[in-house]
Amino acid sequence: MTTTGELSRDTTGYGSQLTAENQAIQIDGDSFVYRRFGNDQTDAPPLIGLQHFRGNLDSWDPALVDRLAQDREVILLDNRGVAGSTGVVPDEVTDMARDALAFIDALGLKEVDLLGFSLGGYVAQELTLLRPRLVRRLVLAGTAPQGGPGLHRWSDTVFGLATTDQPTAEDLLSLFFSPSAESRAKGAEYLQRAYQRQEGRDAPTDLATHDAQLAAITAWGIPDASRLNRLAGITQPTLVANGDDDRMMHTENSRLLAEHLPNAELRIYLDANHGFLDQYAVQFADDIVEFLNR
């Protein structure tokens, strides 16, 4: 597995984020686009990847998901209306979770593991509460509990970087990585990996997606400490992970998740911001594999 900008080659026979076919399934008149690849010769349930605000299939780091695919199937989803999928993006997290459940049901899956990053972590929590017997284990990366502190209104800097109409590479580096030279260099390597795929790239997310997802994030973040009590319903083993200085979801919220989930463990990665999972792609992948296989 490469951790630089060099092309990652599939030497395992399990497929790759860089070459997996874009597939689609029809649900209630809309087309849900996804990629499915990995080792289907194990007893491990598929791992469903739920993506961040304004992210699409190509936002997943090949160095991360290709490593995960060596041990199980990986299914990366554009939820309703996002990127290549059709329909209207919901403006509430619960409706996003119901759409993800409809997708899982349409594939005929009876048990899954979840990897939810940022907004995808909100969806993963809600999905698990709605269908607790479907989910075996969760990985909650760079995300936060409903009603957690500092979520309802991002700082002016974060808001400006996250909501610009045409995000640039510099915007992403500043939003997802720490100011240190090492972190930014790792961010530049991630960008090279993310843009290696030239054929069959996913459609970009549009401004309607931006608006609906931002509304959902804002509503989820309305301060309400009592909402932490809902986490008692997520009894599955959960790996909570983040950088030590997440300026978007705030590392404090990952600590709250780990404290209030009944069966959680916390991993904090040093000199890292919201994009820790791309900065530490191989290490985080190994940590996920160890956790899921335990």
Side-chain angles (χ1 to χ4, degrees), residues 95-269:
D95 291 335
M96 295 177 180
R98 294 191 187 282
D99 284 340
L101 281 169
F103 169 77
I104 292 169
D105 289 343
L107 292 184
L109 303 176
K110 304 303 181 184
E111 183 179 57
V112 298
D113 292 331
L114 297 178
L115 167 58
F117 173 38
S118 194
L119 172 59
Y122 296 2
V123 176
Q125 292 171 63
E126 197 71 7
L127 187 159
T128 304
L129 289 169
L130 291 171
R131 191 84 66 79
R133 294 190 179 276
L134 174 67
V135 180
R136 187 188 70 114
R137 286 179 176 246
L138 297 96
V139 180
L140 299 177
T143 192
Q146 187 174 13
L151 300 173
H152 186 237
R153 181 176 179 175
W154 288 328
S155 72
D156 290 345
T157 298
V158 167
F159 184 83
L161 291 170
T163 63
T164 181
D165 286 356
Q166 296 290 337
T168 66
E170 180 58 34
D171 292 334
L172 188 142
L173 287 174
S174 297
L175 185 64
F176 274 38
F177 297 89
S178 87
S180 76
E182 182 176 359
S183 180
R184 287 179 62 85
K186 292 294 185 182
E189 290 177 3
Y190 156 69
L191 286 173
Q192 291 181 48
R193 294 193 298 269
Y195 282 92
Q196 285 171 9
R197 179 171 179 144
Q198 295 300 311
E199 294 186 6
R201 288 188 65 82
D202 195 9
T205 55
D206 59 19
L207 292 181
T209 298
H210 161 285
D211 293 344
Q213 290 184 340
L214 183 60
I217 289 169
T218 303
W220 180 271
I222 295 172
D224 186 353
S226 70
R227 291 286 180 168
L228 292 170
N229 295 328
R230 303 172 77 243
L231 297 175
I234 300 177
T235 58
Q236 290 86 343
T238 304
L239 174 61
V240 180
N242 209 337
D244 63 351
D245 188 21
D246 185 338
R247 301 176 184 182
M248 192 172 191
M249 293 296 168
H250 306 293
T251 306
E252 174 188 358
N253 280 305
S254 291
R255 300 187 192 281
L256 282 174
L257 279 171
E259 290 171 6
H260 286 83
L261 289 166
N263 193 10
E265 59 188 81
L266 178 67
R267 307 276 177 92
I268 300 295
Y269 298 80

Side-chain angles (χ1 to χ4, degrees), residues 17-18 20-24 32-37 49-52 54-62 65 75-79 82-85 103 190 194 197 200-205:
Q17 158 73 327
L18 299 175
E21 178 185 1
N22 296 327
Q23 303 183 61
F32 284 54
V33 172
Y34 65 101
R35 291 178 187 157
R36 184 172 186 171
F37 58 99
L50 302 169
Q51 188 54 280
H52 64 79
R54 305 183 77 176
N56 67 5
L57 297 179
D58 293 315
S59 301
W60 289 105
D61 192 333
V65 294
I75 302 174
L76 309 177
L77 169 64
D78 279 341
N79 215 345
V82 174
S85 294
F103 169 77
Y190 156 69
R197 179 171 179 144
R201 288 188 65 82
D202 195 9
T205 55

Side-chain angles (χ1 to χ4, degrees), residues 26-43:
Q26 300 298 309
I27 301 172
D28 298 330
D30 288 324
S31 178
F32 284 54
V33 172
Y34 65 101
R35 291 178 187 157
R36 184 172 186 171
F37 58 99
N39 185 351
D40 61 359
Q41 303 302 309
T42 73
D43 294 330

